[in-house]
Amino acid sequence: MYSSSPADAPLVREPLHAPVAHLIRGGVVEGIHYGSVVVLGADGTVEFQLGDIEAAFYPRSAVKPLQAVAMLRAGLPLDGELLSLAAASHSGENRHLAGARRILELAGLTEDDLRNVPDMPFDPAVRDAWVRAGRTPSRLAQNCSGKHAAMLWTAQLNGWSLTDYLDPKHPLQQAIQEIVEDLTGQRVARVTVDGCGAPLFSISLHGLARALSRITSAAPGTPEARVADAMRSHAEMASGAGRDVAALMRAVPGLLAKDGFEGVQVAALPDGRAVAVKIADGANRARIPVAAAALARAGVDPELLTEFSGEPLLGGGEPVGCVRAVRALDPVELPACA
């Protein structure tokens, strides 16, 4: 445990976001994405911040590594690719569905025991194939099914009820909240319901970065280290083929990264350096270039981050600009955006 007395919950207020990314077309700033960024050093100190890193916000699926740590601490016996899937926002590929079924089988359960919201696969190509095959939304295809299967098994192992495992007052969710507060070092500000139906805890961006730093720098064999090892070794199981977060982990040795809906990204290195990003308008196109610039600020070799510097903007089918981090975060001028 990191703290027997977490700090007070972050304030619930309108975040004081700042410009973090520019949409540049033909040398003109066509649009601005606001948000917040924090960069932590290996010792946990804030080395860079932009916007509001202390206001309460919802980390969405970026909190899944913390939830996985909580389940391991509660006795979940997973490792490797199935543990990575338990922390995943997966694409709905066959390997993801097979993995979620396997977790349920190990628990002696079936898809009918899941309580997440039925959905189509997250990946557009996988979803299109699903539709062409005449398949309908399912709980197994929904991108959080690995987490839900793991939650069910954790509840069963502890003798807790299964039908209400998503109730915030359920022992499982109480145990998860306790670990979220332990890892972030702060009380949860609010509890709501995430898109999949699971409880979602409001923390600060600073707290999210601190939590992932603690996960990646934990001693070998601990629940934290097991989660980090599983996700790094099986990045596509934690996301999917072609996903930018998996590519980011492959590109930067030792990096653990997790994305979340509404423009959230968190990443940390084995020595504890960490970054966290929230894009205010939820724009996915700004999430990775801002995170890449933050990682460069944290000391990652910029050459490793070239492919994540920003997607091109097209005019007449040709690149005429890009989405790139603001100069306050990334002072290097990109010729494509000049």
Side-chain angles (χ1 to χ4, degrees):
M1 296 293 181
Y2 295 96
S3 175
S4 59
S5 181
D8 291 340
L11 292 177
V12 177
R13 65 181 184 219
E14 181 177 345
L16 303 174
H17 291 306
V20 294
H22 286 158
L23 187 158
I24 302 174
R25 184 183 296 272
V28 174
V29 176
E30 184 176 32
I32 301 174
H33 292 292
Y34 283 70
S36 296
V37 181
V38 61
V39 177
L40 301 184
D43 62 355
T45 59
V46 176
E47 294 193 339
F48 178 86
Q49 62 179 305
L50 191 60
D52 193 343
I53 69 171
E54 302 297 354
F57 91 119
Y58 289 117
R60 303 301 298 269
S61 286
V63 79
K64 284 178 178 174
L66 286 65
Q67 293 170 313
V69 169
M71 288 187 277
L72 291 186
R73 290 194 188 182
L76 182 67
L78 285 180
D79 279 297
E81 63 178 11
L82 292 184
L83 177 54
S84 184
L85 184 64
S89 299
H90 66 70
S91 292
E93 300 163 20
N94 287 335
R95 58 180 160 182
H96 300 131
L97 275 60
R101 285 194 194 95
R102 181 57 181 157
I103 295 173
L104 290 168
E105 289 170 357
L106 289 168
L109 302 171
T110 70
E111 182 178 352
D112 292 338
D113 293 296
L114 294 170
R115 292 292 180 267
N116 58 321
V117 177
D119 201 357
M120 307 294 279
F122 176 75
D123 182 88
V126 179
R127 183 170 59 247
D128 289 348
W130 189 279
V131 172
R132 287 195 299 271
R135 305 177 74 176
T136 58
S138 79
R139 298 185 193 276
L140 209 61
Q142 197 270 336
N143 76 89
C144 302
S145 64
K147 177 183 76 175
H148 282 256
M151 284 182 170
L152 279 167
W153 195 10
T154 304
Q156 185 196 66
L157 289 167
N158 284 276
W160 299 329
S161 58
L162 301 184
T163 57
D164 61 343
Y165 74 94
L166 296 182
D167 188 325
K169 296 181 180 179
H170 190 280
L172 170 67
Q173 303 303 337
Q174 291 289 297
I176 290 174
Q177 179 172 339
E178 180 182 345
I179 300 309
V180 168
E181 292 180 337
D182 181 35
L183 290 170
T184 61
Q186 60 188 180
R187 299 292 182 190
V188 165
R190 296 279 174 87
V191 181
T192 189
V193 182
D194 209 342
C196 66
L200 178 61
F201 307 109
S202 182
I203 55 177
S204 71
L205 196 66
H206 187 181
L208 178 63
R210 182 164 48 234
L212 209 71
S213 171
R214 289 172 167 177
I215 289 172
T216 58
S217 61
T222 60
E224 292 90 334
R226 287 167 59 193
V227 169
D229 290 344
M231 293 181 70
R232 287 184 296 224
S233 298
H234 304 278
E236 283 78 13
M237 190 62 97
S239 53
R243 294 272 291 278
D244 53 29
V245 68
L248 188 61
M249 284 194 276
R250 289 195 303 269
V252 181
L255 186 73
L256 174 63
K258 184 69 187 77
D259 52 346
F261 281 157
E262 297 300 326
V264 181
Q265 182 69 55
V266 64
L269 292 154
D271 63 2
R273 286 175 291 159
V275 306
V277 170
K278 164 63 181 174
I279 306 301
D281 61 2
N284 200 48
R285 67 182 178 185
R287 171 181 54 83
I288 279 292
V290 172
L295 285 167
R297 279 272 183 177
V300 173
D301 183 354
E303 292 295 321
L304 300 176
L305 301 167
T306 302
E307 67 176 294
F308 308 103
S309 60
E311 63 183 66
L313 296 180
L314 303 181
E318 298 295 327
V320 295
C322 66
V323 177
R324 61 150 293 162
V326 295
R327 296 282 166 76
L329 180 58
D330 181 8
V332 178
E333 184 172 355
L334 300 179
C337 291

